[in-house]
Amino acid sequence: MSRRATTQGTVPFREYRTWYRVSGRLSGERPPLVVLHGGPGSTHDYLLPLCALTEAGWPVIHYDQLGNGGSTHLPEKGADFWTVRLFLDELDNLLRRLGVADEYVIFGHSWGGMLGAAHAAGRPPGLRGLVIANSPASMPTWRAEMVRLRATLPAEVQAALARHEAAGTTASREYFDAMRVFFDRYVCRLDPWPREYRASFMEMHNNPTVYYTMNGPTEFHVVGTLRDWSVEDLLPSVQVPTLIISGRHDEATPETVRPFRDLIPDSRWEILENSSHLPHLEEPDRFREVMVAYLATVHGARAGADSSDVVTGSQT
């Protein structure tokens, strides 16, 4: 398989199936980057630009977490089914089924970053590095920050959001349009939205079982089972070099991100100045530069490099 070649398929997980896509050669010299998408309940599509890392020699594995995309959909399942442990087990199963559990790097975006941190805290022997991108460490802190960000929206937008949330009509067009105002400021500042992001956004909008159950109807109205979840207590147990990424205009505000930097022993935080929640789409060149530099240090491709000299730019 060439670096640009891709394969895709499904692997069994319990009585279900997990869809995956491999870009590049898994039998090459460098460990694969395993990509954990956000949501929970989104899909891999918006993270497909990470395939560009294959040009630098890094194989990339995308997958759709159970309940969405190409994986088994289970709209009949309730809150007792959709748990963090379910998705940790699915990840472990995928690593084993694809034969990469002995050496890999995790990239987790948003919810995927929290999931990746929880996975890393278990100290799996094959994990070589961790990237936490645009993720909160604590959902209670996230909820508090959502209140603050929401208060920056125009008064009429805030009123529309509150009205529909109180009435239970968050599926209405007016609520959707008001929600877009928030998204355009703090999630994706590109106009129009890139095709990859639109694909994941609409997939989650049209198939919201997991997102509604675990999160709630929007990023800023978190009423699901994850509303009180935090990985802060787990972070000191992460023992691999960790790159933390966020955007200057990110809904994942510095207050939500800072515990990763403070509590993970070997961590570095990079803020991309012209991005919100999707730096890989909003600043692709700078994002790739940061990622390639980090991956080089993880694999030792730059012998003798000091990790403190590798990632440059705005840090806190």
Side-chain angles (χ1 to χ4, degrees):
M1 188 192 306
S2 70
R3 286 180 180 175
R4 294 187 179 184
T6 62
T7 59
Q8 63 184 48
T10 64
V11 296
F13 170 56
R14 301 178 182 173
E15 61 267 46
Y16 315 116
R17 307 291 299 189
T18 299
W19 181 94
Y20 71 89
R21 167 185 167 137
V22 177
S23 303
R25 294 184 300 166
L26 292 183
S27 58
E29 297 180 356
R30 297 176 177 180
L33 184 73
V34 182
V35 179
L36 282 56
H37 64 67
S42 186
T43 64
H44 77 285
D45 301 84
Y46 77 102
L47 291 165
L48 278 174
L50 271 70
C51 291
L53 293 169
T54 62
E55 297 302 317
W58 298 93
V60 178
I61 298 173
H62 288 86
Y63 74 103
D64 286 332
Q65 295 162 21
L66 193 67
N68 290 86
S71 296
T72 305
H73 291 201
L74 297 161
E76 73 282 3
K77 296 293 186 180
D80 59 336
F81 180 83
W82 302 110
T83 64
V84 174
R85 173 47 53 191
L86 172 76
F87 292 106
L88 288 171
D89 289 348
E90 182 185 32
L91 173 59
D92 289 341
N93 178 74
L94 181 76
L95 297 171
R96 291 193 303 269
R97 294 282 185 176
L98 295 183
V100 301
D102 290 340
E103 190 175 34
Y104 61 98
V105 177
I106 289 289
F107 176 98
H109 180 264
S110 199
W111 137 264
M114 299 183 78
L115 187 67
H119 172 80
R123 300 185 182 180
L127 183 64
R128 298 292 177 261
L130 172 65
V131 181
I132 297 173
N134 313 96
S135 302
S138 161
M139 291 305 291
T141 303
W142 171 275
R143 287 191 285 114
E145 287 295 278
M146 290 304 101
V147 171
R148 185 178 66 80
L149 293 182
R150 181 166 165 161
T152 68
L153 301 178
E156 64 274 16
V157 173
Q158 295 184 54
L161 293 172
R163 183 169 61 254
H164 287 288
E165 288 163 3
T169 52
T170 55
S172 70
R173 180 67 196 194
E174 184 183 28
Y175 189 82
F176 180 89
D177 291 341
M179 178 183 67
R180 272 294 304 260
V181 177
F182 180 94
F183 272 65
D184 289 342
R185 288 191 182 189
Y186 299 116
V187 180
C188 184
R189 293 163 67 88
L190 299 175
D191 184 16
W193 283 356
R195 177 180 53 82
E196 298 94 341
Y197 179 56
R198 292 200 310 271
S200 287
F201 182 89
M202 293 312 299
E203 169 75 20
M204 191 163 65
H205 181 73
N206 292 329
N207 180 28
T209 299
V210 180
Y211 186 68
Y212 279 14
T213 300
M214 299 183 76
N215 182 84
T218 70
E219 303 290 270
F220 47 81
H221 188 50
V222 181
V223 294
T225 57
L226 291 183
R227 68 188 312 272
D228 295 319
W229 185 48
S230 172
V231 296
E232 289 182 350
D233 290 347
L234 303 176
L235 299 181
S237 298
V238 176
Q239 296 296 306
V240 294
T242 301
L243 172 64
I244 304 155
I245 298 174
S246 63
R248 181 61 68 187
H249 311 283
D250 204 331
E251 63 174 349
T253 64
E255 187 69 19
T256 69
V257 175
R258 187 168 291 111
F260 292 118
R261 197 277 309 274
D262 291 346
L263 298 174
I264 295 176
D266 183 5
S267 61
R268 181 81 178 234
W269 184 4
E270 176 74 21
I271 299 176
L272 276 71
E273 293 294 333
N274 298 310
S275 294
S276 55
H277 200 53
L278 303 171
H280 64 285
L281 296 173
E282 295 167 292
E283 292 183 74
D285 293 340
R286 178 66 185 140
F287 174 85
R288 183 180 184 278
E289 177 186 358
V290 169
M291 284 293 298
V292 169
Y294 165 76
L295 290 169
T297 63
V298 167
H299 191 53
R302 290 177 58 190
D306 183 338
S307 63
S308 65
D309 295 331
V310 171
V311 182
T312 60
S314 299
Q315 301 146 22
T316 59

